[in-house]
Amino acid sequence: MDAELRRLRDEIEINRLIAAYSHAVMRLDAAASAAVYAEDGVLSAFSGPDVIGRAAIEKVLGKVYAPLRFLSQNCGSVVIAIDGDRAQASSSVSEFVQYKDKDPLSCCFGNYDDDLVRLAEGWRFSRRRFNPFFSGTLQSDGTPFESPSSPHRFTPYPPTL
């Protein structure tokens, strides 16, 4: 029973890590987005070069977020395989984006393929690869609110059990 409870706890913690990343992205918070990676973690996206290391990931994501009015990222259909202190996960991704200087609503759909490692601080991404399926714009007659934001309310970040 102890092994089964540990596996369930690990799955919950990995799901929380995935949700914490999406929450940080929604807040356009580069530091919190990078905090879910191991110090030597790797981010791969859109066939670009790998971004290696938590500090480099934070810097790149800060540049990605700078021109955005908002970015809503939702991950679902998470599948997790755990092997001791290592794990793999895959999740579907839906993103809706609006740039500060553009009216159309943009969207992107894809999946994350993740490698994770259990560290003293908890589960972290050792590699996170975003594989896009579709990117485009949507007709929208909505009105954006000025500076939408959600406060950073969790310390430490990402939140733990």
Side-chain angles (χ1 to χ4, degrees):
M1 185 64 166
D2 288 338
E4 182 68 10
L5 287 176
R6 177 160 180 120
R7 184 190 61 77
L8 290 171
R9 183 182 173 109
D10 287 343
E11 285 188 17
I12 290 168
E13 289 180 6
I14 291 168
N15 271 295
R16 288 171 61 97
L17 188 72
I18 291 168
Y21 181 78
S22 291
H23 191 264
V25 167
M26 180 264 308
R27 291 191 337 269
L28 304 177
D29 184 336
S33 297
V36 301
Y37 287 86
E39 281 295 332
D40 60 351
V42 179
L43 170 61
S44 302
F46 292 101
S47 301
D50 287 350
V51 182
I52 302 170
R54 192 182 283 170
I57 291 167
E58 179 179 347
K59 185 176 179 179
V60 165
L61 290 177
K63 289 178 182 177
V64 169
Y65 298 160
L68 304 182
R69 179 173 286 139
F70 72 83
L71 192 167
S72 176
Q73 180 187 88
N74 296 289
C75 290
S77 303
V78 180
V79 179
I80 299 169
I82 299 167
D83 184 12
D85 290 337
R86 300 233 172 240
Q88 294 181 321
S90 183
S91 54
S92 61
V93 180
S94 301
E95 292 183 337
F96 296 93
V97 180
Q98 188 170 50
Y99 290 85
K100 292 175 184 173
D101 63 346
K102 298 178 185 173
D103 285 333
L105 187 62
S106 297
C107 63
C108 187
F109 303 100
N111 84 295
Y112 279 115
D113 286 322
D114 301 322
D115 294 323
L116 301 103
V117 61
R118 185 195 326 264
L119 303 172
E121 60 190 343
W123 286 100
R124 294 294 184 269
F125 296 113
S126 57
R127 174 176 287 276
R128 182 154 238 227
R129 179 178 305 279
F130 179 64
N131 306 298
F133 304 151
F134 176 85
S135 181
T137 58
L138 302 170
Q139 292 294 359
S140 174
D141 60 359
T143 303
F145 295 94
E146 287 302 314
S147 303
S149 66
S150 177
H152 177 58
R153 301 176 6 179
F154 303 99
T155 301
Y157 202 86
T160 57
L161 291 175

